[in-house]
């Protein structure tokens, strides 16, 4: 049946024939299954041209979607059973609406590549094998980061990626909305963030030492209505959109819009543009009260737009040189009773950790949020009268800070290897594993000169298939804090959706299986079996219009001859 990701259990009854979807096939679903039924009717209706009218439940000519509390108990809310049997038609029983939705995605895969088209082709039949499938995900967080800051991806691209994630049973879209090179979400309280911060004059083509520039201005942003649409579209597909507002580094676009946010006694921040090149950038936020208030305003609007429990505040790659040189920042360190600049960053992160927890949300940040210690007189509590006191939501977790000074509900995206995630899990924090050495999809997919803008070490389809989110060194209690994993698509060298497709696929299909399916240890994984199933899956991707990297290497227009990357030889260190 060539399902990807592989289900937990699947039995095909090849000897007894098949079920055929016909113009009169009914789709029966109670009110609790209305969402998955709506989705299934719309995609299968488009692909087959059949109306899939409501039926009265069961029978050979029908598809039936139902919630089943026994499946909830056995397989969880995301679990489902799908059976196709003579006299019964197709039944999907879900532990919850999400389980029904994932079951409906499996049904679509079983119907063949044509089920991914948006109009019927002549002369097709729609056969399903008689089968029994029982399925549920290994992890709750099956994520993909899309960096829409470095290269803006129009709303349609984001909606398309939501569909692509859902087709692979991935359920978190982490949108990297702000960076030095662009601010991508409208903030009404501070309109210059997009009036100024969403646009740059030109763009470096290739990485640091590249002499090439695209001299066209670049930019774009999502309005509040765009975000509401993306979030609702994703929710219908059981995908949660996690917004990232990166602080206190990676903030030059915000400083270009509001120079007072920067370290004004060290650099003339009024002269800083939205950054046009790449790399770690010294121009960072000044961690002073007015900056806190500004970002509370920003986050208040973000919370109103994004219902996600988790809100990502970045926290990565913040050079401290300007803080060291600044009398203003040094006075702040003294006033707060902090040891040094690292502790100041920690104080800054802890402020927003508490601020989010007070509003019923949970902070997630890159693994740098574990650095800097837990010191200082103000342990990150919002001060009385600090503006947005807001609704006092339920605490995500208890009130006591962990050894990192964070609320217990704060979570870590472990990107510089596994080490940050291991430390966080041991301290009781939830972790999303996204080690760059394993699942950074901007890293090149093969050796050789043909790969477009080659970055870092080679990570092949097989390498990604052997990714294991839970390191052996964690005991069972600690391992339970690994709530999932994420593949990150950074777009410095991807200036279009075609370039993103090339880097994301087929590796995202392999990644999906590492977070959904109960795979054995990396060395024992059936790579050949996976590659064989991929032969069918490429047909699905073709029907979806995904411009993946073909197994034989890039097509001529997928190459970028002459554009300098930053390849590193040899295998990546596993840390
Ligand atoms: C990161 O890649 N700087 C999180």
């Amino acid at each position: 049946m060539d399902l990807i990701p592989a289900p937990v259990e699947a039995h095909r009854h090849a000897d007894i024939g098949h079920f055929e979807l016909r113009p009169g096939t009914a789709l029966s679903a109670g009110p609790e299954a209305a969402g998955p039924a709506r989705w299934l009717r719309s995609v299968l209706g488009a692909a087959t041209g059949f109306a899939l009218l409501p039926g009265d439940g069961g029978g050979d000519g029908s598809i039936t979607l139902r919630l089943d509390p026994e499946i909830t108990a056995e397989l969880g809310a995301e679990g489902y059973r799908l059976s196709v049997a003579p006299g019964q038609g197709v039944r999907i029983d879900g532990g919850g609406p999400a389980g029904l939705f994932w079951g409906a995605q499996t049904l679509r895969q079983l119907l063949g590549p044509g089920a991914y088209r948006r109009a019927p082709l002549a002369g097709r039949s729609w056969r399903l094998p008689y089968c029994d499938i029982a399925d549920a995900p290994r992890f709750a967080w099956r994520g993909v980061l899309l960096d829409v800051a470095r290269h803006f991806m129009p709303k349609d691209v984001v909606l398309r990626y939501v569909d692509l994630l859902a087709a692979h049973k991935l359920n978190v879209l982490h949108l990297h909305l702000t960076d030095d090179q662009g601010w991508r979400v409208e903030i009404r309280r501070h309109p210059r963030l997009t009036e100024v911060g969403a646009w740059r004059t030109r763009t470096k083509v290739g990485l640091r030492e590249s002499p090439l520039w695209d001299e066209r201005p670049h930019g774009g942003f999502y309005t509040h209505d765009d975000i509401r649409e993306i979030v609702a579209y994703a929710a219908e597909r059981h995908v949660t959109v996690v917004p990232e507002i990166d602080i206190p580094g990676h903030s030059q676009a915000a400083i270009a819009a509001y120079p007072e946010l920067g370290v004004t006694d060290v650099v003339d921040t009024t002269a800083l543009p939205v950054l046009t090149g790449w790399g770690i950038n010294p121009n960072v936020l000044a961690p002073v009260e007015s900056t806190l208030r500004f970002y509370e305003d920003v986050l208040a609007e973000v919370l109103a737009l994004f219902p996600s429990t988790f809100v990502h505040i970045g926290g990565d790659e913040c050079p401290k040189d300007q803080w060291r040189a600044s009398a203003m920042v040094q006075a702040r360190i003294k006033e707060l009773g902090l040891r040094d600049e690292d502790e100041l960053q920690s104080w800054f992160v802890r402020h927003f950790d508490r601020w989010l927890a007070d509003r019923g949300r949970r902070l997630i940040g890159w693994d740098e949020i574990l650095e800097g210690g837990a010191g200082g007189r103000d342990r990150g509590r919002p001060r009385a009268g600090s503006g947005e006191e807001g609704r006092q939501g339920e605490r995500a977790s208890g009130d006591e800070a962990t050894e990192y000074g964070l609320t217990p509900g704060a979570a870590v995206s472990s990107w510089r290897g596994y080490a940050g995630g291991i430390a966080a899990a041991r301290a009781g924090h939830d972790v999303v594993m996204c080690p760059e050495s394993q699942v950074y999809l901007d890293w090149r997919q093969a050796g050789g000169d043909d790969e477009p803008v080659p970055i870092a070490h080679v990570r092949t389809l097989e390498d990604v298939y052997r990714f294991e989110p839970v390191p052996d060194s964690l005991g069972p209690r600690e391992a339970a804090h690994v709530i999932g994993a994420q593949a990150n698509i950074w777009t410095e060298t991807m200036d279009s959706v075609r370039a993103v497709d090339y880097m994301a696929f087929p590796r995202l299909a392999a990644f999906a299986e590492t977070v959904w399916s109960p795979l054995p240890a990396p060395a024992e994984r059936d790579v050949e079996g996976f590659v064989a199933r991929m032969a069918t899956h490429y047909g699905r991707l073709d029907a979806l219009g995904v411009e993946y990297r073909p197994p034989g290497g890039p097509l001529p227009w997928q190459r970028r001859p002459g554009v300098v990357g930053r390849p590193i030889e040899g295998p990546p260190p596993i840390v």
Side-chain angles (χ1 to χ4, degrees), residues 250 316-317 366 415 440 490:
H250 288 284
D316 57 323
E317 297 180 322
W366 302 110
W415 76 276
Y440 264 36
W490 300 102

Side-chain angles (χ1 to χ4, degrees), residues 316-368:
D316 57 323
E317 297 180 322
C318 178
K320 306 295 186 308
D321 308 272
Q322 291 183 355
W323 293 2
R324 276 189 276 278
S326 161
M328 169 175 76
V329 173
Q330 291 301 316
R332 187 82 185 124
I333 287 175
K334 224 166 147 198
E335 181 193 336
L336 292 169
L338 300 174
R339 191 177 57 232
D340 57 15
E341 296 76 21
D342 290 334
E343 209 165 73
L344 181 62
Q345 167 153 342
S346 171
W347 171 86
F348 191 76
V349 167
R350 285 184 277 124
H351 173 85
F352 289 105
D353 176 28
R354 174 57 62 194
W355 190 93
L356 287 167
D358 284 346
R359 285 154 184 79
R361 305 294 183 103
R362 295 173 65 182
L363 174 143
I364 182 163
W366 302 110
D367 50 64
E368 286 95 329

Side-chain angles (χ1 to χ4, degrees), residues 55-143:
D56 49 14
D60 215 8
S62 103
I63 302 170
T64 308
L65 307 187
R66 288 200 313 215
L67 289 187
D68 181 345
E70 276 181 28
I71 293 187
T72 324
E74 186 194 349
L75 296 171
E78 290 198 281
Y80 68 92
R81 282 182 183 277
L82 186 158
S83 71
V84 188
Q88 172 215 271
V90 180
R91 256 182 66 178
I92 305 177
D93 298 306
L100 285 176
F101 181 73
W102 304 130
Q105 288 282 4
T106 298
L107 172 60
R108 192 189 192 190
Q109 287 206 355
L110 290 172
L111 282 166
Y116 291 84
R117 295 193 182 270
R118 285 185 243 184
L121 306 185
R124 292 294 159 99
S125 61
W126 301 96
R127 291 179 166 190
L128 286 167
Y130 288 127
C131 61
D132 286 292
I133 293 171
D135 204 8
R138 178 175 174 203
F139 291 107
W141 183 302
R142 306 181 299 277

